[in-house]
Amino acid sequence: MLRRLTLVAALLAGPAFAVGLPSEMLQDPAQEARAREIGRELRCLVCQNQSIEDSEAGLARDLRRIVRERVAAGESDAQVVAFVHDRYGDFVLLRPPFNAVTAILWGAPLLALGGGVLAILLSRRRMRGALLAEAPPLSPEERARLAALEHSEEDKPIS
């Protein structure tokens, strides 16, 4: 019965109760709040678009447990994040650092934007050049045909 009530309470609480069971939460509210803040900075390696605090994946649950154990052991936020980062790399951080490995990721949007602007400018320049370019002179055959067309238009009555 108690288990069923715990499950109902977890379902009704929603994301605020993302850790899962109350037994997984730290007894000290300040430590629990710190653990949640740290967990919001770490990416779920299964879901990839959620923090470990928001994910229901088993690996996220394990990472939440590790974070809480380290917070309870008295480690600072930076030490806890460094511990997880050392084991899982830059991908586990929701905000990866700027370094040689991640420079392409950080610079890709700027490169894409710059490339798009450059392509538009070059395209407009070509179009402007094509409009301003002089047409080659008409050949004698083309002049004769144009003159014939102009005379045939003059002979038609206006309706």
Side-chain angles (χ1 to χ4, degrees):
M1 180 70 176
L2 180 62
R3 191 172 191 184
R4 194 173 290 174
L5 287 174
T6 303
L7 178 62
V8 169
L11 291 174
L12 291 175
F17 203 68
V19 172
L21 301 174
S23 61
E24 293 177 354
M25 295 192 302
L26 294 171
Q27 297 300 319
D28 181 5
Q31 286 183 335
E32 178 62 26
R34 275 187 54 222
R36 285 180 187 236
E37 284 302 313
I38 294 169
R40 286 188 188 99
E41 299 294 320
L42 301 173
R43 180 188 319 273
C44 173
L45 300 170
V46 177
C47 305
Q48 299 182 5
N49 289 332
Q50 291 180 320
S51 72
I52 63 171
E53 285 298 314
D54 298 328
S55 175
E56 294 297 325
L59 181 58
R61 185 176 303 117
D62 293 341
L63 287 172
R64 286 192 302 262
R65 183 183 46 77
I66 290 169
V67 167
R68 280 163 176 72
E69 286 172 0
R70 298 216 159 251
V71 167
E75 291 186 10
S76 70
D77 294 4
Q79 289 172 318
V80 175
V81 171
F83 178 83
V84 176
H85 179 252
D86 289 344
R87 275 139 192 86
Y88 296 99
D90 287 337
F91 188 74
V92 77
L93 302 175
L94 279 172
R95 285 184 258 161
F98 183 79
N99 57 34
V101 176
T102 60
I104 294 173
L105 292 174
W106 285 99
L110 294 175
L111 289 173
L113 181 63
V117 168
L118 184 63
I120 290 170
L121 291 175
L122 290 174
S123 173
R124 291 183 73 187
R125 182 181 236 181
R126 268 192 230 122
M127 287 174 49
R128 189 177 328 129
L131 292 174
L132 296 177
E134 291 186 28
L138 296 175
S139 67
E141 296 86 26
E142 292 171 330
R143 284 188 189 158
R145 186 167 176 224
L146 180 61
L149 285 173
E150 288 176 344
H151 289 298
S152 67
E153 289 293 321
E154 290 174 0
D155 295 341
K156 286 187 180 177
I158 300 177
S159 12

